[in-house]
C-alpha cells in the first residue's frame, strides 16, 4: 500500500507556479503550430518549459540533460555562435552589395536597442538594461550571446529576455505595420521605387565577409565572435567551392543547433525565475524595442528624403530590423497594399540583411562598453 | 650665440650628471640598509631574534579559527572582517578603524544619463563602422573593376 501511495508523492511537490508555466509552454506550442509563429524555436521552447517545470524534474539539475546542454552550449555562448554559421550561410548579400548605402538604414533601425536601454535603466542596472535593450536586435543568437556575457547564467532575467526576443521576432507582421502607418503619410507610403540590379562580381561576394569581419573587429573586438561566425558562414556560401559545407551549414547545422538551443533556453524558464513582475516588464520593454527599431528606420529614411532629390519610400527603413526575412516581406506587402504596382522587395531584402550586420555590430559595441 | 652654446652645454652636463647619479645613489641607499633583510623569530614572540634588530614580525598568513573576524595567531589580532554598524565608513572594531570602501550605488538619474551617453556613442559607433564597411565595398568594387580593365587592356 505504501508503495502505491509513494507513486503519488511527487504531486506534493507541485505548485501553482509550475502549472502556470505549463500553460505558458502550451501557449508557445500553440503559437508555433496553429499560428506558424517561429515554430523552429517556439515549439522546443514551449516543450522545454513544460519539461523544466515538472516537480523534481530529471531534465534539469546537476545531471539533468537540459542543464548539461545549457552549460555546454548556452552558458559559454557556443550554440548561438554555431547557429550564426548557419544563418550566415543562408544569407545572400547581393542585394546589399548592389547598393551598399542600404547599410545605413540597417544601422538606423538599431536605435530601438539603445532607446529601450534608456527606458530599462530606470528599473534595472545598466548591464541588465543593456541586455534587455538587445532584444531590439531582433536576433535570437545576438540576444542570448550579449545577455549571457553581461549577466552570466545565474541571472533571473535571461529567460524572459530570450522568450521576448524570439516571440517578438515572430510577431513582426503584427508589430510593424501599425508603427509604420503611424509615422508615415499615405503619400509617402505610395512612393514608387525602381530597382536597377547591378550584377555583383563573385570576388566582391568573397571579399565582403572578410572585410566586414576585419572592420567590425577593429572597432568592436568583442563583436569578433558574433560577426566572425556570421561572416564565416557567408564565406562558405560565397566562395563557390564548398557547396556541401554550405548546404550542411544552412540545413543540418542550423536545424541541429536550433533544436538544442530552443529546448535548452527553457532551463531559464522555471517558475521561480520567470513568474514575477520583472518578466512582464521585460516583455513590455522588448515590445518597445521593436517599436522604436521600426520607427527609427522609417524616420531615418524620411530624413534622407529631406536631402535627396530622388525620394525613397520611407517604409523600407523598417526592414532594417534584423528579423530576416520576415521584415522585408512585411514592408513589401504594405507597399503593395498602398500601390499594387510598387515592388519594394529588392530594396527591403537588401536593408533587411544590412540589419543583420548592424545588429551584430550593435551587440559587439554594447559588449565593448561593459567589457 | 656663444652664451646659447654655453647654456646648452651646461644643461647637457646637468642632465648627464643626474642620469649618472641615479644608479649611484640607489647603490648607496642599498648599502646603508640593515645588513639582514630576513628576520628570524625562533622564540615565537613576534620579534626578530637577530641581535640589535628587535623588529616586530608581521603575521603573513592570517588565520581566523574561531570565526570572530580576528586573526588567531599569537600577537597578531589583525581585523580580517570589518564591521561598520554605524555606517561611518570605518571599521567599528577596537584598534582597527580601517576605512571601508563602499561602491556607490548609481541613482536612477545617473543610470539614465549613462545610458543616454551610451545611446549617442553607440549610434555614432554603428554609423562609423557601417560607413567604413560601405566605403570598403566601394573601394573593393573600384579596385576589382580597375584590375579587370587592366587585364582586358593587356589582352
Amino acid at each position: 500500500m505504501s508503495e502505491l501511495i509513494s507513486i503519488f508523492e511527487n504531486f506534493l511537490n507541485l505548485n501553482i507556479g509550475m502549472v502556470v508555466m505549463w500553460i505558458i509552454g502550451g501557449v508557445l506550442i500553440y503559437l508555433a503550430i496553429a499560428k506558424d509563429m517561429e515554430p523552429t524555436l517556439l515549439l522546443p521552447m514551449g516543450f522545454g518549459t513544460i519539461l523544466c517545470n515538472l516537480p523534481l524534474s530529471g531534465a534539469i539539475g546537476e545531471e539533468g540533460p537540459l542543464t548539461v546542454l545549457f552549460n555546454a552550449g548556452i552558458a559559454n555562448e557556443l550554440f548561438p555562435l554555431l547557429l550564426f554559421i548557419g544563418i550566415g550561410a543562408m544569407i545572400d548579400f547581393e542585394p546589399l552589395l548592389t547598393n551598399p548605402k542600404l547599410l545605413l538604414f540597417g544601422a538606423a533601425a538599431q536605435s530601438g536597442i539603445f532607446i529601450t536601454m534608456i527606458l530599462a535603466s530606470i528599473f534595472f542596472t545598466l548591464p541588465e538594461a543593456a541586455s534587455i535593450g538587445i532584444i531590439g536586435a531582433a536576433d535570437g543568437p545576438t540576444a542570448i550571446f550579449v545577455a549571457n556575457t553581461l549577466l552570466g547564467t545565474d541571472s533571473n532575467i535571461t529567460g524572459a529576455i530570450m522568450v521576448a526576443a524570439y516571440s517578438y521576432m515572430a510577431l513582426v507582421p503584427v508589430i510593424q505595420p501599425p508603427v509604420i502607418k503611424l509615422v508615415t503619410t499615405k503619400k509617402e507610403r505610395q512612393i514608387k521605387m525602381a530597382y536597377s540590379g547591378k550584377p555583383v562580381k563573385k570576388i566582391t561576394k568573397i571579399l565582403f565577409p572578410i572585410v566586414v569581419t576585419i572592420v567590425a573587429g577593429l572597432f568592436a573586438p568583442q563583436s569578433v565572435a558574433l560577426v566572425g561566425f556570421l561572416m564565416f558562414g557567408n564565406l562558405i556560401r560565397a566562395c563557390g567551392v564548398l557547396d556541401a559545407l554550405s548546404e550542411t551549414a544552412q540545413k543540418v547545422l542550423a536545424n541541429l543547433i536550433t533544436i538544442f538551443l530552443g529546448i535548452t533556453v527553457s532551463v531559464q524558464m522555471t517558475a521561480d525565475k520567470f513568474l514575477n513582475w520583472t518578466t512582464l516588464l521585460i516583455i513590455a520593454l522588448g515590445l518597445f524595442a521593436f517599436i522604436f527599431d521600426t520607427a527609427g528606420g522609417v524616420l531615418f529614411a524620411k530624413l534622407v528624403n529631406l536631402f535627396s532629390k530622388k525620394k525613397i519610400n520611407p517604409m523600407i527603413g523598417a526592414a532594417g530590423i534584423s528579423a530576416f526575412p520576415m521584415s522585408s516581406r512585411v514592408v513589401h506587402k504594405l507597399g503593395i497594399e498602398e500601390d499594387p504596382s510598387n515592388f519594394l522587395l529588392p530594396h527591403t531584402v537588401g536593408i533587411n540583411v544590412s540589419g543583420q550586420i548592424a545588429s551584430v555590430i550593435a551587440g559587439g559595441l554594447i559588449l565593448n562598453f561593459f567589457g | 650665440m656663444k652664451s646659447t652654446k654655453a647654456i646648452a652645454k651646461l644643461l647637457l652636463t646637468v642632465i648627464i650628471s643626474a642620469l649618472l647619479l641615479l644608479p649611484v645613489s640607489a647603490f648607496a641607499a642599498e648599502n646603508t640598509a640593515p645588513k639582514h633583510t630576513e628576520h628570524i623569530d625562533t622564540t615565537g614572540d613576534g620579534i626578530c631574534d637577530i641581535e640589535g634588530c628587535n623588529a616586530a614580525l608581521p603575521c603573513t598568513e592570517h588565520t581566523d579559527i574561531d570565526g570572530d573576524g580576528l586573526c588567531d595567531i599569537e600577537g597578531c589580532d589583525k581585523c580580517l572582517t570589518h564591521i561598520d554598524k554605524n555606517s561611518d565608513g570605518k571599521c567599528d572594531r577596537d584598534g582597527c578603524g580601517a576605512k571601508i570602501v563602499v561602491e556607490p550605488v548609481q541613482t536612477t538619474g545617473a543610470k539614465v544619463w549613462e545610458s543616454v551617453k551610451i545611446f549617442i556613442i553607440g549610434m555614432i559607433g554603428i554609423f562609423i563602422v557601417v560607413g567604413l564597411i560601405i566605403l570598403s565595398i566601394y573601394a573593393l568594387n573600384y579596385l576589382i573593376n580597375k584590375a579587370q580593365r587592366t587585364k582586358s587592356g593587356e589582352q
Side-chain angles (χ1 to χ4, degrees):
Chain A
M1 188 64 182
S2 61
E3 285 88 2
L4 188 65
I5 293 168
S6 69
I7 291 170
F8 297 94
E9 258 175 6
N10 202 24
F11 279 83
L12 297 173
N13 296 316
L14 189 61
N15 60 52
I16 188 73
M18 291 175 179
V19 176
V20 171
M21 290 309 294
W22 296 352
I23 296 168
I24 291 172
V27 166
L28 292 176
I29 294 171
Y30 170 77
L31 290 173
I33 298 173
K35 301 293 179 185
D36 199 26
M37 279 171 56
E38 285 283 335
T40 48
L41 281 151
L42 289 191
L43 191 137
M45 274 171 71
F47 192 74
T49 302
I50 295 171
L51 286 180
C52 293
N53 285 285
L54 287 162
L56 302 179
S57 172
I60 53 173
E62 208 178 301
E63 290 174 18
L66 289 185
T67 306
V68 170
L69 274 173
F70 184 88
N71 292 334
I74 295 192
N76 56 7
E77 291 103 33
L78 186 62
F79 284 168
L81 293 173
L82 291 175
L83 184 58
F84 253 7
I85 297 176
I87 292 171
M90 287 178 209
I91 297 176
D92 179 11
F93 283 116
E94 189 161 343
L96 175 63
L97 294 172
T98 305
N99 187 4
K101 292 194 295 290
L102 295 177
L103 262 168
L104 293 172
F105 295 97
Q110 307 313 311
S111 55
I113 296 172
F114 297 99
I115 294 171
T116 304
M117 185 181 160
I118 295 171
L119 279 173
S121 65
I122 297 169
F123 307 102
F124 299 93
T125 63
L126 279 176
E128 287 173 341
S131 302
I132 294 167
I134 205 67
I135 294 171
D139 183 46
T142 305
I144 294 171
F145 187 87
V146 170
N148 262 352
T149 307
L150 290 182
L151 303 178
T153 52
D154 293 332
S155 171
N156 287 343
I157 68 170
T158 43
I161 289 170
M162 291 170 197
V163 167
Y166 281 111
S167 303
Y168 287 131
M169 277 163 60
L171 288 170
V172 158
V174 174
I175 297 170
Q176 286 204 302
V179 178
I180 293 170
K181 287 179 181 171
L182 192 67
V183 293
T184 54
T185 62
K186 195 168 175 69
K187 195 177 169 187
E188 284 173 331
R189 292 195 294 273
Q190 288 175 333
I191 293 173
K192 268 195 187 164
M193 290 180 71
Y195 178 69
S196 54
K198 288 175 247 178
V200 177
K201 293 186 175 59
K202 186 179 171 183
I203 184 77
T204 306
K205 288 194 219 178
I206 291 170
L207 290 174
F208 175 70
I210 299 170
V211 166
V212 168
T213 307
I214 292 171
V215 172
L218 285 172
F219 281 88
Q222 297 273 15
S223 73
V224 171
L226 283 168
V227 174
F229 276 61
L230 182 74
M231 291 297 134
F232 172 60
N234 189 250
L235 184 59
I236 290 173
R237 176 197 175 98
C239 69
V241 295
L242 292 172
D243 290 342
L245 282 190
S246 174
E247 183 133 346
T248 302
Q250 289 180 49
K251 291 181 182 159
V252 176
L253 179 68
N255 288 337
L256 197 60
I257 298 299
T258 300
I259 290 171
F260 287 143
L261 195 70
I263 201 165
T264 310
V265 297
S266 56
V267 168
Q268 298 287 55
M269 289 177 65
T270 50
D272 55 331
K273 283 185 180 178
F274 198 80
L275 291 180
N276 49 58
W277 291 110
T278 308
T279 300
L280 277 176
L281 183 58
I282 290 168
I283 288 170
L285 287 166
L287 180 62
F288 280 135
F290 273 66
I291 289 170
F292 287 124
D293 273 346
T294 305
V298 174
L299 291 172
F300 181 76
K302 290 176 76 158
L303 181 68
V304 168
N305 270 349
L306 290 175
F307 303 99
S308 176
K309 282 182 189 170
K310 202 174 171 186
K311 302 296 174 196
I312 56 172
N313 190 318
M315 290 201 296
I316 63 171
I321 203 167
S322 177
F324 179 81
M326 206 176 312
S327 186
S328 60
R329 290 182 196 153
V330 164
V331 175
H332 170 67
K333 193 177 158 196
L334 273 176
I336 288 179
E337 278 170 13
E338 298 292 340
D339 181 350
S341 63
N342 202 356
F343 195 68
L344 296 174
L345 194 63
H347 307 281
T348 57
V349 168
I351 293 174
N352 208 192
V353 298
S354 78
Q356 181 72 69
I357 297 173
S359 67
V360 171
I361 293 169
L365 284 172
I366 282 178
L367 289 175
N368 252 28
F369 288 133
F370 292 98
Chain B
M1 191 73 175
K2 277 186 181 174
S3 62
T4 311
K5 271 191 181 174
I7 290 168
K9 275 186 185 172
L10 182 64
L11 272 171
L12 200 60
T13 310
V14 166
I15 291 167
I16 292 170
S17 305
L19 286 170
L20 284 171
L21 278 169
L22 272 170
V24 169
S25 55
F27 177 76
E30 205 180 306
N31 278 278
T32 51
K35 291 219 167 124
H36 75 273
T37 52
E38 282 183 35
H39 299 288
I40 303 169
D41 179 15
T42 48
T43 56
D45 60 356
I47 295 170
C48 177
D49 296 325
I50 294 173
E51 197 177 324
C53 182
N54 293 324
L57 298 180
C59 166
T60 52
E61 282 185 35
H62 302 290
T63 313
D64 181 12
I65 299 165
D66 55 12
D68 63 351
L70 300 170
C71 177
D72 295 324
I73 292 174
E74 195 177 326
C76 184
D77 285 334
K78 184 176 168 61
C79 177
L80 300 176
T81 312
H82 299 298
I83 302 170
D84 184 12
K85 284 183 182 160
N86 56 8
S87 303
D88 62 352
K90 291 180 192 171
C91 179
D92 297 331
R93 286 190 200 278
D94 284 337
C96 184
K99 277 189 187 168
I100 296 172
V101 177
V102 176
E103 288 290 336
V105 175
Q106 271 188 315
T107 59
T108 304
K111 283 190 290 175
V112 169
W113 176 233
E114 194 65 33
S115 43
V116 167
K117 283 194 285 185
I118 291 173
F119 167 55
I120 295 167
I121 297 168
M123 287 309 296
I124 292 171
I126 293 177
F127 274 103
I128 288 173
V129 176
V130 156
L132 282 170
I133 292 171
I134 293 170
L135 288 172
S136 305
I137 297 168
Y138 281 122
L140 260 177
N141 282 336
Y142 171 76
L143 289 168
I144 291 165
N145 286 335
K146 192 176 175 187
Q148 285 193 330
R149 277 198 298 270
T150 311
K151 199 176 172 183
S152 57
E154 280 170 0
Q155 285 173 347

